Amino acid sequence: MAGKKIGILALQGAFAEHEDALKRCGVDALQVKTADQIEEIDGLIIPGGESTTIGNLMCRYGLDSKIKEMEAKGMPIWGTCAGMVLLAKEIVDSEQFRLGLMSIRVKRNAFGRQVDSFEADLDVVGIGKTKGVFIRAPYVEKIWGEAKVLSEYEGKIVMVEEGKKLATAFHPELTEELGIYKYFLDKV
Ligand code: GLN
């Protein structure tokens, strides 16, 4: 993966933290704001934030069609939290924009109002133990097709892989751990 450039969609949300983590992995990171920049990268992270806002901005700047085009050519994509929502084909009770690239049905803000955010110890297939920071997090209600569950928390699916795509309901960029980054970078 030396010489590879990873883009972080930098329209809204926690993109700077992903950039720092990628630098700690020793790869080139680029904040992506335009469709042209998508052409320059070898992999894309869609960060946490507000999925409706990120989705609207993505469409306004024509990034949606460019991301889909590059994904069809094999570009790996990883969505965290709001990014997971944007990758889903189905979002419970919502008509909001989504890229629809993963065979998952997500429920937004799914862990309940009384627990806005929490940390949990997770076990991830192929990676092992890792810490998960959940902030108004979604979970995955259902998967189908080629999608595979990589982690569950209290019986809820919180991490899924589908070919070169990854989705995490939690925020690895808010911990010191780089295990999931390395797993993603192996796809690049
Ligand atoms: N609840 C937010 C959404 O659905 C996601 C929260 C986050 O990314 N931390 O957009």
Side-chain angles (χ1 to χ4, degrees):
M1 69 202 168
K4 298 285 184 186
K5 195 184 270 185
I6 307 300
I8 309 116
L9 192 67
L11 301 173
Q12 189 264 338
F15 51 85
E17 293 84 350
H18 276 299
E19 188 178 8
D20 289 345
L22 287 168
K23 286 184 178 156
R24 281 189 280 128
C25 291
V27 296
D28 234 359
L30 176 72
Q31 290 190 13
V32 169
K33 292 180 170 40
T34 68
D36 285 350
Q37 289 173 310
I38 304 276
E39 304 258 359
E40 294 174 35
I41 57 173
D42 304 294
L44 177 70
I45 295 178
I46 304 177
E50 182 51 46
S51 57
T52 48
T53 306
I54 298 175
N56 289 340
L57 292 170
M58 214 187 259
C59 296
R60 187 182 308 166
Y61 300 126
L63 285 154
D64 54 328
S65 46
K66 183 55 84 178
I67 291 170
K68 286 188 201 170
E69 179 191 321
M70 295 304 285
E71 189 273 339
K73 291 183 185 165
M75 178 178 73
I77 306 181
W78 170 19
T80 57
C81 203
M84 168 190 255
V85 175
L86 284 158
L87 285 173
K89 286 187 178 150
E90 294 184 8
I91 306 170
V92 175
D93 294 331
S94 175
E95 298 298 318
Q96 72 187 85
F97 170 81
R98 80 273 330 242
L99 291 163
L101 295 171
M102 291 183 77
S103 301
I104 59 178
R105 181 200 291 159
V106 301
K107 186 169 158 64
R108 292 178 64 195
N109 307 313
F111 286 95
R113 261 177 224 172
Q114 63 279 37
V115 270
D116 234 23
S117 66
F118 59 95
E119 253 185 64
D121 290 318
L122 303 173
D123 211 349
V124 180
V125 175
I127 296 173
K129 301 258 180 248
T130 191
K131 228 174 228 354
V133 178
F134 293 79
I135 305 168
R136 279 172 286 108
Y139 61 63
V140 175
E141 261 195 10
K142 186 183 157 194
I143 65 163
W144 62 95
E146 302 295 306
K148 284 191 301 206
V149 175
L150 293 191
S151 192
E152 289 186 24
Y153 173 68
E154 292 188 339
K156 311 292 189 202
I157 301 168
V158 294
M159 181 166 176
V160 178
E161 172 176 48
E162 184 173 346
K164 292 193 168 194
K165 284 151 291 179
L166 271 189
T168 50
F170 50 94
H171 292 260
E173 78 281 11
L174 301 181
T175 72
E176 295 297 306
E177 292 171 20
L178 296 174
I180 300 177
Y181 286 90
K182 291 182 178 147
Y183 190 84
F184 177 66
L185 293 170
D186 277 344
K187 296 181 177 296
V188 175

